[in-house]
Amino acid sequence: LAETYATFVNTGNISTLALMSNENAADYFKIATTTNGATTLTTIDDGVGDNANFEVAADGNITLDASGTIYLEAGGDVITCDTNTLKVWSVSSSNPTVLIESTTADATAGSLKFLVDKHSSGVGADSDDIGTVLWSADDGGGTETSFANILGEISEADNTDEAGKLTFNVAASDGTTTALTPGLILEGEHDSNPRQVDATIGHGTASDTTIAGNLTVTSDLTV
C-alpha cells in the first residue's frame, strides 16, 4: 500500500509503516511491528551524516511504562538507552531535577548504580574505574571547569578478596594551574581480618583538617 510519501508493507512477519521526506525518499522514518507486538521506531538519513534526529515534543507529560526484562537483568521493568551522552536540561531556576522515587511502603529505597560489565571481553582488574560523579561550572573567565568529583574504583579485583576505593576530589590551585586533587580517600584493604578501611584526609602538609566536636581514637595516634 503506497502513497506519495508513505508506504506500508508486511515482509517476513514484520509490518512496516514508512514516512519519506519529500526531498529524498531515502530519508525516512519507519515503524516496524512483529511478533508479540514488538515495535521499533527508526529514522534513516540517506546522506553521509547522521542528521536523522528523533524528537518527542509533547504538550504535556511523557510517560515511559516498561514491563519487561533485558539481558543480564534479574527481573523487573527496564528501559534501556544506548547513547554516549544523556542530557537533561532546563531554563527554569533551580532545575532540572533528577528524581529517584520509591513508593513502596517498606524500609528500602532506590539507588543510582554504576555497572562496568565487560561480558566476554574481559574481567575486572585492579585500578579499574567504576564510575564518576562530576561537578562542572563556568569559572570567572567563562571557561567550563571541573570543580569536584567522586570516583569509584577497584582497589583489588581478586575473586573473594575484592576491595574498593572511593576518592573525593576538589579543584585546587598551585598558583599557576588548577587540577582535581584528592581531599578524602577511602580504600578497603584485602587480606584483612577483621575487615579494614583506610582513610586519607587532606592533600599536602600545609592542608588543614578541622573537627567540630570530639575526636575519639580507639588505637594508636601518631603525630
Side-chain angles (χ1 to χ4, degrees), residues 211 213-217 221:
I211 299 174
N214 298 324
L215 174 64
T216 300
V217 179
L221 175 63

Side-chain angles (χ1 to χ4, degrees), residues 16 21 49 64 81 86 88 95-96 99 122 124 139 163 210 212:
T16 302
S21 166
L64 301 178
C81 180
L86 180 62
V88 181
N95 280 294
L99 174 64
D139 64 9
T210 302

Side-chain angles (χ1 to χ4, degrees), residues 119-170:
H119 296 308
S120 59
S121 62
V123 296
D126 295 357
S127 300
D128 277 2
D129 289 353
I130 301 174
T132 302
V133 180
L134 176 64
W135 288 269
S136 297
D138 288 343
D139 64 9
T143 302
E144 182 178 326
T145 303
S146 296
F147 282 92
N149 75 15
I150 301 175
L151 171 63
E153 300 174 83
I154 296 176
S155 176
E156 175 57 61
D158 287 350
N159 188 27
T160 73
D161 195 29
E162 302 89 347
K165 183 178 180 181
L166 190 63
T167 304
F168 293 74
N169 297 290
V170 294

